[in-house]
Amino acid sequence: MKNHWDTVIVGGGIIGHSISYHLSKAGADVCVLDKGTGGRRATGAAAGMLGVHTENRTPGLYHEFCVKSRDMYNELQTELYQCSGIDIQLTTNGMLQIALDEREAKELQEKQQSFPSLSWLDDREMKIRHPWVKSSGALWIREDGNVKPEKVAEAFKRGARSFGSTVKDGCFVIRIRKSGQGYEVTTNEGEIFAERIVVAAGADSGPWFRETGLPNPMVPVKGECFSIKPRNLLFQETYFSPSFYVVPKRDGSIVIGATSREGDGSESTSAGGIADLMDQVFRVFPALREEPLEKWWSGVRPGTSDGRPVIGEHPQEKGIFFATGHYRNGILLAPATGKLIQSLFEKGTFAKKYEGLFSPARFQIGGVYEHTR
Ligand code: GLY
C-alpha cells in the first residue's frame, strides 16, 4: 500500500482541501489526512460570507489578498462543477454593512472614503430600498456574496481526487519526525512519509507550532449560529453588523450568526448565546421574528494572536508549512491560500508578494510582531 507522498496535508477542512486541489491540479502527489471527528470546527459551521470589506478591513496588501480570493470563486464555480459535479452555490447579490446608530453611520461613511467602489445609503434610502431593516444607513458592497462552505470543501476534495490526490478519512497525526530529506508521520493508521508537510488543522493547529519549536499563536474563538426557513424570502442581499450577520442562502434558508467567545474551543451551543443573538437580530429585522426556526449550531474559529492567518514555511524546519489561523475569513480566503501554498512550493511571484504578510516567522522571539486586534 502506498505510504509515501510528495506532500501530506494535516487537516481536512476547506483550507486543506483547497491546497490539495491547487497542488494536485498542478501535478503534485498529495495526501490529505482528515481526522473527521464529525464535529463542526470551522468549515461546517461557517455562514460562507465572502466579505472583503467587512471585518474591520482597511486598504492594503491583506485587503488585496481578500479581493483576489473572492474573485477566484467566479472561475472556481464552473471549474469545480466540471471536475466534481458539485454546485458551490455562489451568490453575488451584494452585502450591506449596516449602521445601527449615528456613531456607526459616521464610521461607515468615513470607511467609504477609503473604498470608493462602495456606496453609502442613508436612512431614508434604506427605508425605501430595504424596508425590513431598522438602521441608520448602510454601506452597499455590490461585489460581495456568499457560498455554501461544506459544498466548497467537498468540491475541492472531489476535484483534487480527480487529479489523483489521496484523502485518508478518520486519520489523525500522532507525531511528525525528520527522516532523511523529508518527514515521517506517525498516524493512527501507521507510518507515512512525505517530502513536505502542510499543517492546515484550523483551531487544532496549536500543537504543531509547539512541537516544531515555535510559540503557539492559535486562539480558539467559538461562534454560535442559527438558521430560519422563511415562508417568503424578503431579500437576497447579505446584511452585516459588528454583532451579527444575516445571510440568505440559495436553498431558501437564512443563516444568522454569530457569537464570539474568545478562548472557548468547545463545541456545545449555549441557549443564552443563541437567545442574545436572536434578541439583537430581531430588533433590527422584526419581520424575521415570526419565521420558522430551522436549526442552531456552533463552530470554533482558528484565531491567531495578531488576527492574521499564518501561511508559509517554518523558519527553521524546511519542508514544514503552515496554512492556518484564518479566524473569521477561512471561506473567503480558501482559494487564495491554496494558490499561495502552490506558489510558495514553486517559488512563484504570487508567493513573493504575500509571503511576508503571513509568515510564521513573525511569532518567533525577535520576529516582526504587530498586535492588530
Ligand atoms: N465569518 C464570520 C464569522 O466567523 O462569524
Side-chain angles (χ1 to χ4, degrees), residues 46-49 55 223 225 240 245 257-260 301 327-331:
M49 278 181 294
E55 312 285 355
C225 300
F240 181 93
Y245 42 80
T259 61
S260 193
R301 305 177 182 94
Y327 186 38
R328 296 174 64 101
N329 302 294
I331 312 306

Side-chain angles (χ1 to χ4, degrees), residues 170-192:
C171 185
F172 57 86
V173 179
I174 297 164
R175 195 176 57 192
I176 298 173
R177 256 203 327 217
K178 240 188 150 32
S179 167
Q181 293 303 302
Y183 292 91
E184 177 188 276
V185 183
T186 306
T187 76
N188 58 322
E189 295 181 6
E191 310 292 326
I192 58 177

Side-chain angles (χ1 to χ4, degrees), residues 62-322:
Y62 189 18
H63 179 254
E64 267 182 46
F65 190 72
C66 295
V67 173
K68 170 79 194 162
S69 200
R70 178 200 62 196
D71 292 349
M72 284 175 74
Y73 271 111
N74 294 328
E75 277 183 21
L76 277 169
Q77 172 180 221
T78 316
E79 193 180 300
L80 287 173
Y81 186 73
Q82 280 165 355
C83 63
S84 72
I86 293 174
D87 174 4
I88 62 170
Q89 300 187 17
L90 174 67
T91 77
T92 49
N93 294 323
M95 195 175 292
L96 288 110
Q97 183 161 4
I98 47 180
L100 302 186
D101 54 35
E102 287 308 316
R103 184 187 52 80
E104 285 184 13
K106 198 163 168 282
E107 278 170 17
L108 290 181
Q109 281 171 284
E110 278 164 21
K111 177 170 172 171
Q112 196 238 333
Q113 306 298 312
S114 311
F115 295 109
S117 68
L118 312 188
S119 25
W120 173 248
L121 305 179
D122 63 22
D123 55 347
R124 199 181 43 85
E125 287 166 294
M126 283 299 285
K127 278 196 190 91
I128 297 167
R129 291 168 61 174
H130 302 266
W132 39 83
V133 188
K134 287 187 166 176
S135 75
S136 303
L139 265 187
W140 168 231
I141 310 166
R142 195 181 45 77
E143 289 139 335
D144 289 357
N146 68 75
V147 288
K148 191 104 175 162
E150 59 272 39
K151 297 273 181 201
V152 180
E154 189 59 30
F156 276 136
K157 179 176 175 175
R158 283 201 210 167
R161 270 194 178 132
S162 76
F163 296 121
S165 84
T166 303
V167 179
K168 284 180 172 282
D169 286 316
C171 185
F172 57 86
V173 179
I174 297 164
R175 195 176 57 192
I176 298 173
R177 256 203 327 217
K178 240 188 150 32
S179 167
Q181 293 303 302
Y183 292 91
E184 177 188 276
V185 183
T186 306
T187 76
N188 58 322
E189 295 181 6
E191 310 292 326
I192 58 177
F193 297 87
E195 314 303 315
R196 291 164 167 150
I197 311 272
V198 184
V199 176
D204 299 330
S205 303
W208 305 113
F209 284 92
R210 281 196 302 266
E211 294 280 317
T212 57
L214 288 178
N216 173 12
M218 302 303 298
V219 182
V221 186
K222 181 154 87 174
E224 295 153 310
C225 300
F226 67 97
S227 64
I228 55 177
K229 194 90 184 179
R231 285 157 288 209
N232 302 305
L233 198 57
L234 291 170
F235 49 82
Q236 292 185 318
E237 300 87 346
T238 295
Y239 296 91
F240 181 93
S241 93
S243 48
F244 68 83
Y245 42 80
V246 175
V247 188
K249 308 303 290 186
R250 267 207 356 226
D251 63 8
S253 59
I254 299 183
V255 174
I256 296 172
T259 61
S260 193
R261 294 169 182 255
E262 194 159 316
D264 188 347
S266 69
E267 290 186 358
S268 57
T269 310
S270 69
I274 296 295
D276 290 349
L277 187 58
M278 286 182 168
D279 192 45
Q280 297 183 65
V281 174
F282 296 149
R283 260 188 275 149
V284 181
F285 288 81
L288 297 183
R289 181 180 286 274
E290 299 307 321
E291 298 294 354
L293 183 62
E294 192 181 37
K295 53 188 178 182
W296 58 89
W297 64 91
S298 70
V300 184
R301 305 177 182 94
T304 60
S305 50
D306 67 359
R308 246 184 294 143
V310 190
I311 312 168
E313 191 167 20
H314 190 292
Q316 284 85 36
E317 299 293 340
K318 295 299 157 200
I320 293 198
F321 291 74
F322 291 95

Side-chain angles (χ1 to χ4, degrees), residues 41-63:
R41 295 306 272 172
T43 303
M49 278 181 294
L50 305 178
V52 162
H53 297 88
T54 50
E55 312 285 355
N56 298 326
R57 227 145 352 241
T58 48
L61 205 53
Y62 189 18
H63 179 254

